[in-house]
């Protein structure tokens, strides 16, 4: 029914281990040339604030401190077609993140014609279905505050199509699809295709390091429980906790136990319950 508490979003630098020689210190667990991953931003919100609405403010906060990454590794709760394009245009950041799959009936069933199977001619403003039929209408509109285009095929074409059962079960008897603006549609289709490749999955595995940060934050600083009432005080507590973790990591590195970091970043969010 409700969640009485807060959520914290943690950004930190990250890098794959470099192929360098280990340090001479027998207790060193990492190559000496690598520097520690450091937390670069902490954002605190009420628990009900969606992850996707926080990506812009997080990038703005990083830009103010000249800490914008070239790549940002995220979980699937953050990205959207608008953010994939907007992050690159407004901040120069490439989002490395799994995007949600096509939710159409055909895509979920892995049979029939999904929206991505339709070829879009943006200049001619028409769409060709997998059976080779052309759309009959192209209607720009706004859905949930987002500009889109609704493409419709005629009843005549769909009604006599031998592949109709694979394409639509709509009562109207014809197929209809909604498209984001061109740049967003192409970015979304490209992202969905890339995340199925082994190279992308190997690259995205880098984000797994943030799970260790979450564990460290909860085990060392008790970040799972809010010590104070109110968003402002809770956020200040989160900032102090992040600073403490950075000092712990720097101390470990200075004393011969280096961690790793580059100009990439990953992001995680942690839900907190409110303590009395």
């Amino acid at each position: 029914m409700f969640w009485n508490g807060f959520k914290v979003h943690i950004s930190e630098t990250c890098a794959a281990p470099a192929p360098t020689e280990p340090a001479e210190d027998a207790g060193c667990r990492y190559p000496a040339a690598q520097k520690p991953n450091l937390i670069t931003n902490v954002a605190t919100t009420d628990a009900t604030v969606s992850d996707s609405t926080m990506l812009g403010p997080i990038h703005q906060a990083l830009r103010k401190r000249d800490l914008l990454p070239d790549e940002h590794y995220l979980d699937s709760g953050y990205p959207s077609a608008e953010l994939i394009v907007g992050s690159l245009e407004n901040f120069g950041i490439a989002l490395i993140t799994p995007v949600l799959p096509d939710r159409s009936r055909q895509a979920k069933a892995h049979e029939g014609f999904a929206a991505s199977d339709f070829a879009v001619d943006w200049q001619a403003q028409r769409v060709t279905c997998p059976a080779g039929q052309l759309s009959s209408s192209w209607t720009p509109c706004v859905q949930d505050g987002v500009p889109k285009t609704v493409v419709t095929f005629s009843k005549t074409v769909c009604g006599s199509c031998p592949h109709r059962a694979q394409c639509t079960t709509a009562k109207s008897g014809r197929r209809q699809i909604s498209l984001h603006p061109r740049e967003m549609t192409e970015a979304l289709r490209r992202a969905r295709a890339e995340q199925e490749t082994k190279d992308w999955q190997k690259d995205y595995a880098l984000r797994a390091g943030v799970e260790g940060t979450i564990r460290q934050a909860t085990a060392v600083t008790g970040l799972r429980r809010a010590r104070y009432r109110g968003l402002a005080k809770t956020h200040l507590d989160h900032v102090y906790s992040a600073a403490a973790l950075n000092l712990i990591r720097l101390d470990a590195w200075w004393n011969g136990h280096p961690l790793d970091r580059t100009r990439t970043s990953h992001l995680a969010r942690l839900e907190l319950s409110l303590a009395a």
Side-chain angles (χ1 to χ4, degrees), residues 2-250:
F2 67 91
W3 184 288
N4 185 21
F6 308 98
K7 188 186 295 183
V8 58
H9 303 257
I10 302 173
S11 303
E12 69 170 9
T13 59
C14 62
T20 58
E21 293 297 326
E24 294 182 0
D25 183 357
C28 180
R29 296 170 296 165
Y30 298 91
Q34 293 179 351
K35 297 181 180 180
N37 291 338
L38 297 177
I39 297 173
T40 56
N41 191 75
V42 174
T44 308
T45 69
D46 291 327
T48 54
V49 176
S50 67
D51 296 343
S52 60
T53 60
M54 287 305 299
L55 191 56
I58 288 169
H59 286 166
Q60 291 171 5
L62 289 170
R63 180 164 60 184
K64 285 182 180 180
R65 299 195 303 277
D66 195 26
L67 292 174
L68 281 177
D70 298 321
E71 296 177 327
H72 208 162
Y73 289 71
L74 313 164
D75 70 25
S76 59
Y78 290 95
S80 65
E82 294 82 3
L83 290 173
I84 291 174
V85 174
S87 295
L88 192 59
E89 290 183 348
N90 300 327
F91 300 99
I93 299 175
L95 300 186
I96 311 299
T97 172
V99 297
L100 294 177
D102 187 343
R103 294 298 185 182
S104 67
R105 174 184 61 83
Q106 298 86 348
K108 288 191 289 185
H110 298 289
E111 59 182 21
F113 301 148
S116 58
D117 296 324
F118 289 69
V120 183
D121 186 335
W122 296 95
Q123 292 185 337
Q125 295 189 344
R126 68 186 177 194
V127 173
T128 304
C129 78
Q133 299 295 337
L134 297 177
S135 59
S136 60
S137 68
W138 177 283
T139 308
C141 64
V142 176
Q143 295 180 349
D144 299 324
V146 179
K148 292 186 178 181
T149 298
V150 175
V151 177
T152 306
F153 290 80
S154 70
K155 289 184 179 180
T156 302
V157 168
C158 292
S160 60
C161 181
H163 305 287
R164 179 182 170 185
Q166 297 175 268
C167 188
T168 182
T169 57
K171 293 181 179 180
S172 62
R174 58 184 178 180
R175 181 64 184 267
Q176 190 177 76
I177 60 175
S178 295
L179 299 173
H180 285 85
R182 179 176 184 174
E183 193 171 7
M184 296 179 187
T185 297
E186 293 177 346
L188 195 59
R189 291 186 174 187
R190 184 167 57 251
R192 284 173 175 162
E194 288 177 349
Q195 70 189 36
E196 298 299 324
T197 65
K198 291 184 178 179
D199 287 342
W200 185 93
Q201 293 169 8
K202 182 179 179 181
D203 183 27
Y204 185 68
L206 182 62
R207 187 194 169 276
V210 80
E211 302 302 330
T213 296
I214 293 175
R215 184 182 184 283
Q216 188 181 30
T218 56
V220 176
T221 70
L223 204 65
R224 179 71 66 181
R225 301 289 291 181
R227 295 180 175 88
Y228 308 99
R229 293 190 180 276
L231 183 61
K233 290 182 179 179
T234 300
H235 175 61
L236 183 60
D237 182 36
H238 294 166
V239 172
Y240 282 144
S241 296
L245 293 180
N246 281 345
L247 289 174
I248 289 171
R249 294 177 179 191
L250 287 170

